[in-house]
Amino acid sequence: MLVAAAVCPPTPLIVLQLDDLRAACHDAIAALRDARPDVLIVVGGAESTSTYGGQTAGTLRPWGMDVTVGHGEPVLPLSLTVGRWLLGGRAPDGFRSVALDATSAECRILGEELGKSAEKVALLVMADGSACLSPRAPGKYDDAAEPYNDLIANAIAHADPGALATLDPAQAERLWVSGRAALQVLAGAAGSRGFEGRLLMETAPYGVGYFAGLWS
């Protein structure tokens, strides 16, 4: 059963920049630890849906940073690598990547599976918002980006899995919302349980929406 979840951005920028956002993520992760879960699992978007052990390695070298976490050959995708880095010296119990193009139903099923994986489950969900929020954003600026981003921020703030479950995959792809699938996994894990939500920080440097949030 899901007892707590944190949402943090999967950007490598958080390693060298964005100090306030990184601090907010550390606060959210500390609250996950305080929930005393039986298992802590990191969830993030990737090219495919896969399972990795908690000691699995990842690296940020392809993004120009000499940062490697875990043990062995680095195989974690970016989102999970950043999540592992944010966790610091304590490894999670496992990692789950979810395909960026996974359907909403597939995300819900994966979330339900994770929610049933132990009596007390905590999730670190690596997910960001739209990358089309300004003319200088990585994606093409789109008027629909801000309302979509606001929907995600409000869902995190109010611990509303129903709102996350309704995120449209096609619109998310158009608006460069790479966190859509991971957020819908969170919705599936939460189910109909009630949580208290806190949006610890929301920011959009370089036109990309980043969140630090907590459900407890």
Side-chain angles (χ1 to χ4, degrees):
M1 178 177 69
L2 185 71
V3 296
V7 178
C8 295
T11 173
L13 293 176
I14 204 168
V15 176
L16 299 178
Q17 305 176 34
L18 311 178
D19 295 355
D20 290 345
L21 182 60
R22 183 170 64 251
C25 289
H26 285 155
D27 288 344
I29 290 169
L32 287 189
R33 304 287 194 191
D34 290 344
R36 298 185 180 276
D38 298 316
V39 297
L40 170 58
I41 301 169
V42 184
V43 178
E47 292 303 311
S48 61
T49 299
S50 300
T51 301
Y52 305 90
Q55 298 296 328
T56 305
T59 185
L60 297 179
R61 287 174 185 157
W63 290 269
M65 301 179 193
D66 189 16
V67 175
T68 299
V69 292
H71 302 280
E73 183 70 19
V75 296
L76 291 177
L78 174 62
S79 62
L80 301 183
T81 298
V82 175
R84 177 64 185 86
W85 183 86
L86 284 170
L87 287 172
R90 297 179 62 183
D93 296 284
F95 298 94
R96 292 297 293 267
S97 66
V98 56
L100 295 171
D101 61 355
T103 67
S104 297
E106 289 169 338
C107 295
R108 174 181 54 78
I109 291 169
L110 176 57
E112 291 172 349
E113 174 190 326
L114 294 177
K116 296 174 181 176
S117 61
E119 185 173 345
K120 296 175 66 178
V121 178
L123 297 181
L124 172 54
V125 181
M126 304 303 296
D128 51 17
S130 175
C132 298
L133 290 169
S134 77
R136 300 182 66 182
K140 182 180 179 181
Y141 174 74
D142 195 309
D143 288 339
E146 185 172 350
Y148 199 101
N149 210 64
D150 288 345
L151 190 160
I152 295 172
N154 288 331
I156 294 171
H158 297 98
D160 187 351
L164 295 180
T166 64
L167 293 174
D168 180 67
Q171 190 176 21
E173 182 178 8
R174 191 188 94 210
L175 299 176
W176 288 41
V177 183
S178 66
R180 188 274 312 172
L183 290 169
Q184 291 194 313
V185 171
L186 170 58
S192 59
R193 291 196 64 231
F195 292 88
E196 178 183 350
R198 293 174 59 199
L199 184 61
L200 303 179
M201 187 171 181
E202 178 185 5
T203 186
Y206 314 109
V208 183
Y210 297 141
F211 316 100
L214 174 67
W215 290 10
S216 59

